[in-house]
Amino acid sequence: MGRPGKFTEDRILDAAMAITAEEGPAAATMAAIAGRLGAPTGSLYHRFASRDLLMAALWLRGVRRFQHGVVEALAAADVEAAALHTPRWCRDHLAEAATVLLHRRELVARWPGELAGELEGVNTGLSAALDACAARLPGVGRERLVFAVVDLPYGAVRRHLMAGQPPPPLVDELVARACRAVLEPVPEQEEEETAVGSRVRGG
């Protein structure tokens, strides 16, 4: 069975991720993860006090890995690259993408108090990068930037991830085209007319 130190945190999380991707989150029990590793169950509890703690750590690790490329692209004010990071990362990390983007609510029955601070701050870096990028792109605005970088590519890959398939290359082309359309500057007069129309419709 081997020593507890042989079963590192990343190896345990990788095993949990593989089971989740293949059979769904409910199948990733402590016993199943230990069986996948060929480890005693005690080795898992040596690293993680509970299944919820293990699965929460899995989700947080995946989110950080995913967001890293988006933040880098936004730092360079390359919005198209930031949008394309999602389908490309999903294609290269299919199991982790499914875990991060599809299964968060199913992974953990109750979020562990030990990781409450990490959950609260997990999007801080991405939010700051969006703010900074929006400030460098006059005429775009944060709302359209979020749609181009977050909402649009997530919607484009979700159907493929739910089918257990990587997004095809065509998704990249469509995301890039849509991203450029979303970021097309809106003439000031049109923006004013849109704002007035919204106020009128709102009563």
Side-chain angles (χ1 to χ4, degrees), residues 4-52:
K6 175 181 176 182
F7 303 106
T8 64
E9 181 173 312
D10 276 333
R11 283 194 64 197
I12 293 169
L13 296 181
D14 287 344
M17 179 175 67
I19 294 170
T20 299
E22 293 166 10
E23 305 176 49
T29 63
M30 295 296 259
I33 296 166
R36 176 67 63 102
L37 285 168
T41 306
S43 295
L44 274 62
Y45 285 106
H46 177 74
R47 300 282 183 181
F48 302 97
S50 68
R51 178 189 180 276
D52 279 350

Side-chain angles (χ1 to χ4, degrees), residues 133-156:
C133 187
R136 295 171 63 182
L137 299 172
V140 173
R142 193 181 193 279
E143 188 63 26
R144 284 202 288 165
L145 184 62
V146 170
F147 185 85
V149 172
V150 180
D151 300 336
L152 173 64
Y154 171 71

Side-chain angles (χ1 to χ4, degrees), residues 8-129:
T8 64
E9 181 173 312
D10 276 333
R11 283 194 64 197
I12 293 169
L13 296 181
D14 287 344
M17 179 175 67
I19 294 170
T20 299
E22 293 166 10
E23 305 176 49
T29 63
M30 295 296 259
I33 296 166
R36 176 67 63 102
L37 285 168
T41 306
S43 295
L44 274 62
Y45 285 106
H46 177 74
R47 300 282 183 181
F48 302 97
S50 68
R51 178 189 180 276
D52 279 350
L53 187 60
L54 189 160
M55 299 302 280
L58 172 63
W59 186 81
L60 285 169
R61 184 186 71 165
V63 170
R64 293 190 188 103
R65 288 177 172 179
F66 167 65
Q67 289 184 354
H68 179 74
V70 180
V71 170
E72 279 194 337
L74 289 172
D78 191 340
V79 180
E80 191 171 315
L84 286 171
H85 175 74
T86 295
R88 290 171 176 171
W89 188 82
C90 289
R91 194 174 297 121
D92 293 339
H93 305 89
L94 185 59
E96 194 156 33
T99 301
V100 169
L101 299 178
L102 296 182
H103 295 312
R104 179 193 163 186
R105 293 184 179 181
E106 303 166 69
L107 289 176
V108 181
R110 178 174 297 180
W111 193 269
E114 303 98 305
L115 296 179
E118 293 189 50
L119 174 64
E120 184 177 346
V122 71
N123 291 317
T124 300
L126 177 59
S127 182

